[in-house]
Structure formats: structure tokens, C-alpha cells
């Protein structure tokens, strides 16, 4: 049913945009006055992972150590990527929120990328995300000095 798919897309975009208001719209600028964008992204990723842990249990799954590590890496990678996107788009929460919604929806259309716990990607997908995130790290690390001047 096309209507059902549209409702899922709308909810995903609204939900993820609201998350981005908190993570990139509020927390990142506050943290970036004292920390590099990379360090802020890592700290936000830690709390973002904790925020999502209850979702794992909603799917009736349990969180083994290995799946927890993979899930943590995934969220950290996404935090780095969305932080990079936020700064590269002149601090656009709209684009960060839309991309967040898109990446969350990928599992619905490409279930082979999902982990067995029902929340987050599998190991090969997470390793690809990690490679991409690490390539963005130097850019985010350099934002530290620039950001301190902008937010004062």
C-alpha cells in the first residue's frame, strides 16, 4: 500500500529531524565552543547510542556484546557523518535531518544491510560506514579552532 509507505516516510523524517534538532541543533554548537567538532561528534554518538538502546528491546532482541559494539560503531559513524554534513552545508539541520531519515529508511528497502537484532546495520555495512567516517575525521578535527571563533 503506497499510503502506508508514505506514512512511514513521513514519520521517519519527522522523528529524525526532531533528533537532529537535539543532537546537531542544540548539543553540537554548545559542545563545539569547547571541543573540536570531531570530539563533540564522538560524545554525541555515545549518548545517541544510549538513546537508541531501548529500541533494540522493542524488537524483542537482546544485545550481545558483539552486536552492542557494532551498533555503537554504527552510531558513532553516523554522528561523525551528520556532523560533517551539518558543517559542510552551512549548519543545515534540514539536510542533516533529511539524510538521517534517509539512512534510517535504508533498512526498510534493503533488508540485507540490517543486523540480526532488528536495529542498526550488519557488520559489513558498519565497516563501510567506519571507513567513510574516518575519512571525515581530519576535516572535523580542524573545525575546532574555527568554531571557537564563530561561537564567541
Amino acid at each position: 500500500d503506497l499510503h502506508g509507505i508514505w506514512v512511514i516516510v513521513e514519520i521517519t523524517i519527522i522523528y529524525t529531524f526532531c533528533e537532529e534538532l537535539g543532537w546537531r541543533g542544540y548539543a553540537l554548537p554548545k559542545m563545539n565552543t569547547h571541543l573540536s567538532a570531531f570530539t563533540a561528534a564522538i560524545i554525541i554518538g555515545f549518548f545517541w547510542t544510549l538513546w537508541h538502546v531501548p529500541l533494540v528491546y522493542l524488537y524483542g532482541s537482546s544485545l550481545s556484546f558483539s552486536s552492542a559494539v557494532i551498533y555503537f560503531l554504527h552510531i558513532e559513524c553516523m554522528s561523525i557523518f551528520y556532523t560533517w554534513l551539518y558543517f559542510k552545508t552551512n549548519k543545515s539541520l534540514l539536510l542533516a535531518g533529511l539524510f538521517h531519515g534517509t539512512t534510517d529508511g535504508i533498512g526498510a528497502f534493503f533488508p540485507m544491510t540490517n543486523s540480526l537484532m532488528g536495529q542498526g546495520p550488519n557488520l559489513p555495512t558498519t565497516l563501510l560506514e567506519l571507513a567513510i567516517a574516518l575519512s571525515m575525521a581530519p576535516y572535523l578535527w580542524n573545525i575546532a579552532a574555527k568554531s571557537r571563533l564563530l561561537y564567541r
Side-chain angles (χ1 to χ4, degrees):
D1 180 333
L2 192 56
H3 177 71
I5 291 173
W6 181 244
V7 169
I8 290 171
V9 169
E10 286 176 329
I11 290 170
T12 299
I13 289 173
I14 291 168
Y15 173 78
T16 56
F17 182 72
C18 289
E19 270 193 78
E20 289 307 314
L21 281 174
W23 301 131
R24 250 69 48 201
Y26 179 77
L28 182 60
K30 297 282 186 196
M31 295 171 77
N32 201 216
T33 59
H34 304 291
L35 303 168
S36 72
F38 179 78
T39 304
I42 295 297
I43 293 169
I44 288 169
F46 174 78
F47 287 104
W48 189 10
T49 302
L50 294 178
W51 172 261
H52 278 270
V53 166
L55 290 177
V56 173
Y57 295 100
L58 283 176
Y59 291 107
S61 299
S62 60
L63 200 57
S64 68
F65 179 75
S66 61
S67 63
V69 169
I70 292 169
Y71 191 63
F72 176 74
L73 279 174
H74 160 67
I75 297 290
E76 288 294 343
C77 291
M78 292 297 97
S79 185
I80 290 168
F81 180 73
Y82 300 152
T83 299
W84 174 85
L85 184 65
Y86 173 78
F87 282 110
K88 287 300 262 186
T89 60
N90 199 26
K91 302 178 184 168
S92 173
L93 284 176
L94 177 62
L95 290 175
L98 287 172
F99 202 88
H100 185 163
T102 301
T103 56
D104 279 5
I106 285 175
F109 299 102
F110 300 102
M112 74 288 287
T113 64
N114 291 341
S115 71
L116 295 176
M117 67 180 183
Q119 176 73 11
N122 58 24
L123 180 59
T125 305
T126 300
L127 291 176
L128 178 61
E129 292 170 350
L130 183 60
I132 294 168
L134 289 176
S135 72
M136 296 170 179
Y139 171 82
L140 293 176
W141 196 265
N142 287 331
I143 290 178
K146 295 177 192 172
S147 297
R148 285 190 193 107
L149 294 174
L150 291 174
Y151 287 118
R152 286 193 178 166

